[in-house]
Amino acid sequence: MTVRERTQETESRILSPFAALSSKSRGRRRPEDEDELRTVFQRDRDRIIHCKSFRRLKHKTQVFLSPEGDHYRTRLTHTLEVSQIARTIARALLLNEDLTEAIALAHDLGHTPFGHAGERALNQLNPKGFRHYEQSVRVVEKLEKNGRGLNLTEEVLDGIYCHTCGQEAFTLEGRIVRLADRIAYINHDIEDAERAGVLDEQEIPREITAVLGASKSQRINTLVESAYQNSQSGAIALAENVQTAFDRLHAFMFSSVYTNPSAKKEEVKVPNLIEVLYRYMKDPDHLPEPFRRIAGQEGCEQAACDYIAGMTDQYAVQLFEMLYVPRSWNGMPMTV
């Protein structure tokens, strides 16, 4: 018996009847030989961690654009927090932790620079629109590894696509990531907003804190425990009073932080920067080679969109400055 087979046997013996077993995966678009050590979901997780798109998340904005403080979240730290919360819930419910982790680590690989401001800008420019969850699937299917993609399992692809809105994932593990994503970003956005002087945690209405708790750790613990207590019959859910308080917390954050002029003052610059880069990159001669190939196959609009969506905040700003901000002349001084 190989290590993988032993793991699969353990899964079938220990995990919940509602769990997605690696031995019964729907498989990959391109069939591959099995690994002796790792299950298919473990291999997916490892491919995601080692891909270039995952590394770039460390320089992509979460809420505050290109934050300079050491402790503000980036898209990478957000992803790790989602993974931790999702794995805790999955383990408590005896669901497949490896699958849950793989989905969580990949869910934002297609996110733009400058957070949702960049996403809105590309959505306005691209004739096909732009949604980061669709782009995350596109990254792992078509853009990584020079166009070969990561060839992930159907369970992981579905969980990535369904992590934010619309239809639910067909696995409970994917549905856990959807909940964990919301738990993570609302709570760490409170902490970042307080650090930025945009919000005082004491301003959160009492009707919310009375149910969820008055601190980040209390709120996360309440939400995770509620998910465990109310998700043992084949559905992922919160207690009704917890769900109501959680929805109110989201509405509070929307009005106090996500649309706060102080927090979003730099975002007004994003649409113009993205549009200028987009217009420039629609010329295939201005694209790196892998994206020229996409331009030839799927059109210049798609290639420009793919290239810009993959940029970090820093790279997008530097490229804009290189192309459109005049530089000082460094030649020899004029002589008289």
Side-chain angles (χ1 to χ4, degrees), residues 81-91 100-101 104 176-177 180:
E81 291 182 22
V82 173
S83 176
Q84 176 268 315
I85 292 170
R87 287 171 54 211
T88 297
I89 298 172
R91 183 178 297 182
T100 305
E101 183 178 24
I176 285 174
V177 172

Side-chain angles (χ1 to χ4, degrees), residues 248-264:
R248 288 174 177 168
L249 180 59
H250 184 270
F252 169 78
M253 286 296 291
F254 190 84
S255 61
S256 300
V257 176
Y258 301 141
T259 59
N260 187 308
S262 298
K264 299 300 181 180

Side-chain angles (χ1 to χ4, degrees), residues 149-184:
L150 302 181
N151 197 29
L152 304 180
T153 57
E154 289 292 333
E155 289 83 357
V156 174
L157 292 175
D158 174 74
I160 296 170
Y161 183 82
C162 298
H163 83 266
T164 184
C165 61
Q167 69 187 65
E168 288 191 321
F170 65 74
T171 64
L172 292 187
E173 289 82 357
R175 297 177 191 181
I176 285 174
V177 172
R178 184 169 177 162
L179 175 60
D181 183 30
R182 197 167 185 233
I183 293 174

Side-chain angles (χ1 to χ4, degrees), residues 86-326:
R87 287 171 54 211
T88 297
I89 298 172
R91 183 178 297 182
L93 293 172
L94 296 178
L95 297 176
N96 196 307
E97 194 173 339
D98 294 326
L99 171 59
T100 305
E101 183 178 24
I103 296 169
L105 292 174
H107 81 280
D108 269 354
L109 290 182
H111 225 300
T112 59
F114 312 116
H116 289 289
E119 181 175 16
R120 288 191 295 269
L122 275 182
N123 187 49
Q124 290 291 322
L125 292 166
N126 190 358
K128 298 179 182 178
F130 181 91
R131 288 156 290 276
H132 79 272
Y133 54 92
E134 293 178 348
Q135 188 69 14
S136 293
V137 174
R138 182 172 172 82
V139 165
V140 298
E141 280 201 297
K142 296 185 177 181
L143 301 183
E144 274 292 336
K145 299 186 72 172
N146 295 318
R148 299 192 304 276
L150 302 181
N151 197 29
L152 304 180
T153 57
E154 289 292 333
E155 289 83 357
V156 174
L157 292 175
D158 174 74
I160 296 170
Y161 183 82
C162 298
H163 83 266
T164 184
C165 61
Q167 69 187 65
E168 288 191 321
F170 65 74
T171 64
L172 292 187
E173 289 82 357
R175 297 177 191 181
I176 285 174
V177 172
R178 184 169 177 162
L179 175 60
D181 183 30
R182 197 167 185 233
I183 293 174
Y185 79 70
I186 289 179
N187 283 288
H188 64 50
D189 289 352
I190 292 172
E191 193 170 59
D192 282 359
E194 189 167 32
R195 179 173 291 109
V198 173
L199 175 72
D200 186 333
E201 197 171 32
Q202 301 302 316
E203 297 172 7
I204 300 174
R206 174 65 181 157
E207 63 182 7
I208 296 173
T209 59
V211 177
L212 300 183
S215 70
K216 180 188 70 174
S217 60
Q218 289 173 351
R219 289 188 297 270
I220 292 176
N221 190 62
T222 297
L223 291 160
V224 169
E225 285 197 358
S226 183
Y228 167 68
Q229 294 293 342
N230 293 273
S231 303
Q232 300 189 46
S233 59
I236 304 302
L238 300 174
E240 185 176 355
N241 67 321
V242 173
Q243 183 66 64
T244 298
F246 194 33
D247 291 341
R248 288 174 177 168
L249 180 59
H250 184 270
F252 169 78
M253 286 296 291
F254 190 84
S255 61
S256 300
V257 176
Y258 301 141
T259 59
N260 187 308
S262 298
K264 299 300 181 180
K265 61 184 179 181
E266 292 299 308
E267 284 192 1
V268 298
K269 304 174 184 178
V270 171
N272 180 63
L273 183 151
I274 295 291
E275 180 174 5
V276 168
L277 291 180
Y278 185 81
R279 303 299 180 197
Y280 182 82
M281 296 303 167
K282 281 171 59 178
D283 183 341
D285 291 337
H286 297 157
L287 290 168
E289 176 52 39
F291 295 95
R292 292 181 191 175
R293 184 170 61 250
I294 293 173
Q297 295 171 349
E298 302 181 60
C300 297
E301 303 269 7
Q302 184 63 59
C305 191
D306 286 339
Y307 186 36
I308 293 170
M311 295 179 182
T312 64
D313 294 24
Q314 296 170 342
Y315 184 82
V317 171
Q318 291 169 359
L319 182 59
F320 179 88
E321 290 178 343
M322 182 184 73
L323 293 174
Y324 296 105
V325 177

